[in-house]
Amino acid sequence: MRYSARLALFGTILAAALLAACGGGGGGGGASLPPSGGGGSVATPPAYAMTGVMSDGVPLANAPVVFTCGCTQQAGLTTTDGAGAYTIGATATAIPASPDPTYTTVPGRNYLVIGFAPNHAQFWTMEFLGAVPAHNLNLSDAPNDGAANIPDAASTAASLYIFYESSNAPGDESFDLWNFNAIDAWARHLRAGSALSAAETRLLADVTQGQTSGASLFPAIPQWNPDASATPNATIRADLDAVRSESAAGANPSVPTPCPALGACTGTPTP
C-alpha cells in the first residue's frame, strides 16, 4: 500500500482498536530530545527482545533510541548504555505519552529503530522481532557486524524508504505490509555499491552527508519524533521520490514493494 498523499503518514490518529495491537496510539506532539540517561535499557532481556549498537564510528553512549511498528502515532523510547548498546524488550516508555504511557512490542512485527547522536544525527535500521531471539533479523552488515546490529548508510536508506512509503491510515498495519527479507535484500544491494541506479546512489550520498552534518533525515515529521528541533528534509524526500519512480516504472527491480495485503507475502521470516 503506497501513499497517494505523502503527509497522510502523519495525519489521522488510528482507531482505538489498533492501539492495543501495536502498543501505542495517537495524540500529542513531539517532545524535546531526551537528555542523556533517559528512557532506560532493559538489563535482562525477556523471552523476546531486540538488541543492537548505535554508533557514528564511536559508540553513542546514553543516546535516545526510538522504535515503532508504524501501526499508530506512538513509538517506544529507550536509551543506549555507555557502550552504545540498547535492548528493546516487551514494554518501554511511549512517546508521546498519550494515550498510552507504555509501548508494547509484538513478536512477528517489523520495527523501525532510530538512534540520535548528540549533534542530532540519526542512524536508522529495521528489525524483525521474533518470538525468540534466534528468529530476530536486522538490516546490518552480516557477517561483519550482523551480531552487533550497527546501522549504516545502507540500513538507514532502506529504512527511510519503508518509512516514507508506508501509510498510517485506519486498518493499515504499516511496516508489516512489507516482507522483511525483501527489505534486507535491498539493503545488501545498496551496501554492495555495484549496479546502483542514479537515484540509489544519490540517496546513499545524501544520507551520509546528513549523518555527517547532523541534519534530520525525516522526509516528514511524525508525532513520535523525539527531536523537537527536527525539520523535514526536502533533499531526502526528493531522493525517495526518485527511487519510487524508478521502481514504479519497472526500472529497478531491487527496490522492495509492499505485500498485496497483510500476511499475503511469500518467503517472509519465521516469527
Side-chain angles (χ1 to χ4, degrees):
M1 182 180 299
R2 297 185 184 270
Y3 277 121
S4 57
R6 298 292 182 193
L7 296 184
L9 174 62
F10 314 106
T12 306
I13 296 175
L14 288 181
L18 286 178
L19 303 184
C22 197
S32 298
L33 191 67
S36 296
S41 300
V42 178
T44 303
Y48 63 88
M50 297 178 284
T51 61
V53 174
M54 289 294 170
S55 173
D56 60 357
V58 176
L60 304 182
N62 305 314
V65 175
V66 175
F67 55 95
T68 175
C69 60
C71 314
T72 73
Q73 298 281 351
Q74 280 185 291
L77 174 66
T78 189
T79 306
T80 63
D81 63 16
Y86 65 86
T87 297
I88 296 170
T91 60
T93 300
I95 182 170
S98 175
D100 190 339
T102 301
Y103 190 91
T104 303
T105 58
V106 179
R109 290 197 184 281
N110 296 331
Y111 285 89
L112 176 68
V113 183
I114 307 173
F116 295 82
N119 70 342
H120 299 264
Q122 300 166 1
F123 299 86
W124 295 45
T125 189
M126 291 190 71
E127 300 191 35
F128 172 80
L129 176 59
V132 295
H135 292 173
N136 289 358
L137 298 173
N138 63 63
L139 298 186
S140 291
D141 183 12
N144 295 332
D145 67 8
N149 186 15
I150 302 174
D152 61 2
S155 70
T156 298
S159 302
L160 279 163
Y161 185 75
I162 300 304
F163 167 79
Y164 190 49
E165 288 295 302
S166 299
S167 65
N168 205 189
D172 175 30
E173 296 297 324
S174 206
F175 307 145
D176 289 344
L177 280 170
W178 302 77
N179 181 346
F180 190 91
N181 288 329
I183 305 170
D184 182 52
W186 189 46
R188 292 171 187 268
H189 164 77
L190 294 172
R191 190 173 292 117
S194 59
L196 296 183
S197 71
E200 289 172 329
T201 300
R202 204 160 46 243
L203 173 61
L204 284 172
D206 288 335
V207 163
T208 299
Q209 193 280 331
Q211 290 177 325
T212 301
S213 67
S216 172
L217 300 179
F218 281 109
I221 308 298
Q223 291 191 17
W224 44 260
N225 172 46
D227 186 354
S229 70
T231 57
N233 191 316
T235 299
I236 293 293
R237 184 167 61 244
D239 292 344
L240 297 172
D241 283 335
V243 170
R244 182 183 185 276
S245 294
E246 287 185 343
S247 177
N252 192 346
S254 299
V255 180
T257 56
C259 305
L262 191 65
C265 270
T266 58
T268 54
T270 301

